[in-house]
mmCIF file of all heavy atoms in Angstrom:
data_model
loop_
_atom_site.group_PDB
_atom_site.id
_atom_site.type_symbol
_atom_site.label_atom_id
_atom_site.label_comp_id
_atom_site.label_asym_id
_atom_site.label_seq_id
_atom_site.Cartn_x
_atom_site.Cartn_y
_atom_site.Cartn_z
ATOM 1 N N THR A 23 -3.588 18.234 17.496
ATOM 2 C CA THR A 23 -2.320 18.570 16.857
ATOM 3 C C THR A 23 -1.420 17.355 16.699
ATOM 4 O O THR A 23 -0.859 17.116 15.626
ATOM 5 C CB THR A 23 -1.596 19.642 17.691
ATOM 6 O OG1 THR A 23 -2.451 20.778 17.815
ATOM 7 C CG2 THR A 23 -0.301 20.049 17.018
ATOM 8 N N ALA A 24 -1.295 16.543 17.745
ATOM 9 C CA ALA A 24 -0.408 15.374 17.675
ATOM 10 C C ALA A 24 -0.900 14.386 16.614
ATOM 11 O O ALA A 24 -0.108 13.876 15.804
ATOM 12 C CB ALA A 24 -0.330 14.701 19.044
ATOM 13 N N SER A 25 -2.206 14.114 16.595
ATOM 14 C CA SER A 25 -2.760 13.195 15.600
ATOM 15 C C SER A 25 -2.597 13.754 14.197
ATOM 16 O O SER A 25 -2.308 13.028 13.239
ATOM 17 C CB SER A 25 -4.241 12.952 15.883
ATOM 18 O OG SER A 25 -4.411 12.399 17.164
ATOM 19 N N TYR A 26 -2.767 15.058 14.061
ATOM 20 C CA TYR A 26 -2.663 15.695 12.756
ATOM 21 C C TYR A 26 -1.253 15.529 12.191
ATOM 22 O O TYR A 26 -1.074 15.128 11.035
ATOM 23 C CB TYR A 26 -3.022 17.170 12.902
ATOM 24 C CG TYR A 26 -3.039 17.952 11.614
ATOM 25 C CD1 TYR A 26 -4.148 17.913 10.791
ATOM 26 C CD2 TYR A 26 -1.951 18.717 11.246
ATOM 27 C CE1 TYR A 26 -4.176 18.635 9.614
ATOM 28 C CE2 TYR A 26 -1.962 19.431 10.068
ATOM 29 C CZ TYR A 26 -3.081 19.393 9.251
ATOM 30 O OH TYR A 26 -3.089 20.113 8.098
ATOM 31 N N ARG A 27 -0.230 15.808 13.001
ATOM 32 C CA ARG A 27 1.157 15.680 12.536
ATOM 33 C C ARG A 27 1.494 14.238 12.210
ATOM 34 O O ARG A 27 2.156 13.935 11.217
ATOM 35 C CB ARG A 27 2.123 16.210 13.606
ATOM 36 C CG ARG A 27 1.992 17.714 13.861
ATOM 37 C CD ARG A 27 3.195 18.217 14.647
ATOM 38 N NE ARG A 27 3.024 19.630 14.954
ATOM 39 C CZ ARG A 27 2.808 20.094 16.163
ATOM 40 N NH1 ARG A 27 2.729 19.258 17.180
ATOM 41 N NH2 ARG A 27 2.669 21.375 16.373
ATOM 42 N N ARG A 28 1.039 13.319 13.065
ATOM 43 C CA ARG A 28 1.342 11.910 12.846
ATOM 44 C C ARG A 28 0.649 11.400 11.587
ATOM 45 O O ARG A 28 1.206 10.634 10.817
ATOM 46 C CB ARG A 28 0.889 11.104 14.071
ATOM 47 C CG ARG A 28 1.236 9.616 13.977
ATOM 48 C CD ARG A 28 0.969 8.911 15.296
ATOM 49 N NE ARG A 28 -0.436 9.007 15.709
ATOM 50 C CZ ARG A 28 -0.876 9.794 16.671
ATOM 51 N NH1 ARG A 28 -0.037 10.576 17.340
ATOM 52 N NH2 ARG A 28 -2.170 9.828 16.988
ATOM 53 N N PHE A 29 -0.570 11.863 11.326
ATOM 54 C CA PHE A 29 -1.357 11.383 10.192
ATOM 55 C C PHE A 29 -0.739 11.787 8.862
ATOM 56 O O PHE A 29 -0.733 11.031 7.902
ATOM 57 C CB PHE A 29 -2.774 11.952 10.293
ATOM 58 C CG PHE A 29 -3.765 11.270 9.392
ATOM 59 C CD1 PHE A 29 -4.260 10.012 9.712
ATOM 60 C CD2 PHE A 29 -4.191 11.885 8.236
ATOM 61 C CE1 PHE A 29 -5.180 9.387 8.888
ATOM 62 C CE2 PHE A 29 -5.110 11.261 7.405
ATOM 63 C CZ PHE A 29 -5.607 10.009 7.737
ATOM 64 N N TYR A 30 -0.164 13.008 8.802
ATOM 65 C CA TYR A 30 0.357 13.522 7.551
ATOM 66 C C TYR A 30 1.873 13.455 7.448
ATOM 67 O O TYR A 30 2.456 14.013 6.521
ATOM 68 C CB TYR A 30 -0.103 14.974 7.346
ATOM 69 C CG TYR A 30 -1.588 15.071 7.195
ATOM 70 C CD1 TYR A 30 -2.373 15.642 8.180
ATOM 71 C CD2 TYR A 30 -2.204 14.545 6.072
ATOM 72 C CE1 TYR A 30 -3.744 15.707 8.044
ATOM 73 C CE2 TYR A 30 -3.578 14.597 5.927
ATOM 74 C CZ TYR A 30 -4.334 15.186 6.913
ATOM 75 O OH TYR A 30 -5.689 15.251 6.781
ATOM 76 N N ALA A 31 2.512 12.765 8.329
ATOM 77 C CA ALA A 31 3.968 12.717 8.320
ATOM 78 C C ALA A 31 4.525 12.017 7.094
ATOM 79 O O ALA A 31 5.647 12.277 6.679
ATOM 80 C CB ALA A 31 4.474 12.024 9.585
ATOM 81 N N VAL A 32 3.743 11.086 6.464
ATOM 82 C CA VAL A 32 4.269 10.272 5.362
ATOM 83 C C VAL A 32 3.825 10.764 3.994
ATOM 84 O O VAL A 32 4.199 10.176 2.981
ATOM 85 C CB VAL A 32 3.801 8.808 5.518
ATOM 86 C CG1 VAL A 32 4.361 8.220 6.776
ATOM 87 C CG2 VAL A 32 2.276 8.731 5.508
ATOM 88 N N ALA A 33 2.996 11.792 3.945
ATOM 89 C CA ALA A 33 2.386 12.143 2.672
ATOM 90 C C ALA A 33 3.082 13.316 2.004
ATOM 91 O O ALA A 33 3.621 14.188 2.664
ATOM 92 C CB ALA A 33 0.917 12.480 2.871
ATOM 93 N N ARG A 34 3.076 13.305 0.642
ATOM 94 C CA ARG A 34 3.644 14.421 -0.115
ATOM 95 C C ARG A 34 2.902 14.560 -1.445
ATOM 96 O O ARG A 34 2.999 13.708 -2.306
ATOM 97 C CB ARG A 34 5.126 14.202 -0.397
ATOM 98 C CG ARG A 34 5.787 15.392 -1.097
ATOM 99 C CD ARG A 34 7.238 15.099 -1.376
ATOM 100 N NE ARG A 34 7.395 14.095 -2.400
ATOM 101 C CZ ARG A 34 7.381 14.350 -3.714
ATOM 102 N NH1 ARG A 34 7.222 15.573 -4.131
ATOM 103 N NH2 ARG A 34 7.524 13.389 -4.595
#
Side-chain angles (χ1 to χ4, degrees):
T23 303
S25 300
Y26 183 82
R27 295 194 183 111
R28 183 171 60 255
F29 194 76
Y30 295 110
V32 297
R34 184 181 70 84

